[in-house]
Amino acid sequence: MKHLALIATLATGALLLYGTKDFPAWGDPQAPASTYLSPHYIEDAVEETHVPNIVTAVLGDYRGYDTMFETVVIYCAGMAVVSVLSRKREEE
Amino acid sequence: MESIVGEIVAKYNYWIYVVLMMIGFYAMIGKRNLVKKLLGMNIFQTSIILFFVSTGVKKGGGIPIVDKYQGLAGTVEAASTVNPLPHVLMLTAIVVGVSVTGVALAVLQRIYREYGTLEEDEILEKIQR
Amino acid sequence: MRDIYEHSAGEDLIIKTSVRLLVPFIQLFGLYVIVHGHYSPGGGFQGGVILGAAFILLALAYDMKTSQEYMTIRVNALFTNLGAAIFIGVGAVSAIFGGLFLDYAALNKLIPLGPIEWHSFGIFLVEVGVGFTVMSIMVLLYWNLSSSGTLDEGL
């Protein structure tokens, strides 16, 4: 069982390392992740929202839905913990 | 041989994340203790967070907090600031991770209360009796 | 077993005094992180966790009862719901006033600050809501997990 897990882990790691062949190098400004949407955020976020911290601007405004359901997720986590664990002391 | 070494050195960050991911993945599928599985999941998650943050790095780039007057004048250059989008995504991912860890710990406490153990084989034995 | 822990670190005078001195500053720093999130690293999630850590520190240094004197279970539930309600309420109000959901510029019809200033202020309102929810959920998670659901005495 342990050997099977080790083999599966090594196979997955090898597959992922093979996948890094096509990835951009570390710190490349022309990486695909940095050229599609983020120049718009960096250059225009302050004009559009008057917030110098671009992370906050994106979090609260451009991705407001994401953050809202984020709040709902932690809300649900709290409710789940209460409903899973809650009990009275004298039950023991 | 030279080119392979050069390739590895240029992308050493991905190697670190893959090794971290392998540690977490092995803990998740190879260990028999449920708490160890949970810790493995946290390590796995940390490797993914590091991976995403590293995709936003630009060489020589500053933090994604720009000068307000420069921003209003429109003179901020995209190449001088790191990509803020992975930071936002990982900020939310960290909070989801905390929620998942909390719920998982609650379920583990409930399992311990029910079966008196957190070892997978012992729980399976008790379920089948 | 029990009497060893009666006189262990939890009952120590130095820890109690230093925590009592530290907690107001931690809470002030948490509020600063939430409010100053527009200009420096910070925001609702980070500040909320710091505010929650102040209550968790109180519960660790004293006991769970003491932390529940400062934030009762009822107030905790109130803050949880208030935070989520602020966030969704800001979105819904901006939808009612003619914009899209969470399009803060539409709130300009309510109080005329200018549409771009409303984007900034709407982000602030939303961050405060997130901070409330994160703070109370962190405290709730600690209370429940450390006392295994009884909420009366824990670590």
Side-chain angles (χ1 to χ4, degrees), chain A residues 1-2, chain B residues 27 30-34 37 118-121 124:
Chain A
M1 190 61 203
K2 292 247 156 135
Chain B
K31 293 288 174 188
R32 291 312 196 108
N33 189 309
L34 295 178
K37 279 177 190 283
L118 284 175
E119 298 291 330
E120 205 178 54
D121 345 356
L124 285 176

Side-chain angles (χ1 to χ4, degrees), chain B residues 22-128:
Chain B
M22 281 160 69
I23 294 170
F25 191 54
Y26 180 75
M28 273 175 84
I29 63 174
K31 293 288 174 188
R32 291 312 196 108
N33 189 309
L34 295 178
V35 177
K36 286 180 183 170
K37 279 177 190 283
L38 181 61
L39 288 176
M41 196 186 73
N42 273 323
I43 296 170
F44 198 127
Q45 186 195 12
T46 307
S47 79
I48 288 169
I49 288 171
L50 285 171
F51 167 70
F52 263 80
V53 169
S54 86
T55 58
V57 172
K58 291 173 188 168
K59 205 158 258 169
I63 56 172
I65 300 174
V66 296
D67 188 58
K68 188 167 183 177
Y69 297 103
Q70 258 185 27
L72 288 177
T75 53
V76 180
E77 280 186 34
S80 68
T81 312
V82 300
N83 189 354
L85 198 52
H87 296 199
V88 176
L89 296 175
M90 289 309 108
L91 186 61
T92 55
I94 289 169
V95 179
V96 168
V98 171
S99 313
V100 169
T101 311
V103 173
L105 282 173
V107 172
L108 290 187
Q109 276 196 8
R110 191 64 187 265
I111 288 172
Y112 187 79
R113 205 190 289 167
E114 198 72 27
Y115 297 109
T117 176
L118 284 175
E119 298 291 330
E120 205 178 54
D121 345 356
E122 295 174 23
I123 293 171
L124 285 176
E125 267 175 30
K126 289 196 178 177
I127 288 174
Q128 278 163 1

Side-chain angles (χ1 to χ4, degrees), chain C:
Chain C
M1 202 63 187
R2 190 68 210 169
D3 54 343
I4 301 173
Y5 291 105
E6 288 292 312
H7 302 288
S8 66
E11 305 289 323
D12 195 49
L13 180 70
I14 296 173
I15 289 175
K16 278 186 169 178
T17 312
S18 54
V19 164
R20 202 174 61 215
L21 290 174
L22 265 177
V23 160
F25 292 103
I26 295 175
Q27 285 177 327
L28 198 63
F29 180 64
L31 289 175
Y32 167 80
V33 168
I34 292 181
V35 172
H36 214 252
H38 282 36
Y39 297 96
S40 64
F45 291 116
Q46 299 93 321
V49 169
I50 293 172
L51 280 176
F55 287 100
I56 292 174
L57 192 63
L58 211 58
L60 279 173
Y62 290 78
D63 52 358
M64 197 166 288
K65 282 279 175 242
T66 315
S67 74
Q68 285 175 1
E69 279 171 23
Y70 289 94
M71 180 193 255
T72 58
I73 299 169
R74 198 171 280 273
V75 170
N76 187 289
L78 185 74
F79 269 119
T80 311
N81 290 298
L82 186 70
I86 286 175
F87 202 135
I88 296 170
V90 169
V93 167
S94 56
I96 289 168
F97 278 91
L100 299 169
F101 192 72
L102 284 171
D103 178 14
Y104 312 124
L107 291 170
N108 196 29
K109 289 175 189 160
L110 191 67
I111 303 169
L113 288 176
I116 298 178
E117 280 306 316
W118 257 113
H119 270 289
S120 177
F121 193 57
I123 292 171
F124 170 71
L125 290 177
V126 158
E127 296 269 11
V128 169
V130 171
F132 280 165
T133 305
V134 170
M135 170 189 74
S136 47
I137 290 292
M138 288 303 141
V139 177
L140 191 68
L141 285 184
Y142 173 77
W143 281 348
N144 271 293
L145 289 176
S146 67
S147 70
S148 68
T150 55
L151 287 184
D152 54 358
E153 59 175 295
L155 293 173

Side-chain angles (χ1 to χ4, degrees), chain A residues 41-81:
Chain A
Y41 286 150
I42 294 167
E43 284 161 8
D44 300 334
V46 181
E47 268 176 79
E48 288 174 2
T49 62
H50 282 190
V51 176
N53 188 347
I54 304 169
V55 174
T56 303
V58 177
L59 185 83
D61 201 337
Y62 296 101
R63 287 190 163 263
Y65 257 56
D66 195 356
T67 315
M68 186 180 83
F69 286 107
E70 189 67 34
T71 316
V72 174
V73 162
I74 43 175
Y75 187 90
C76 290
M79 295 307 114
V81 167

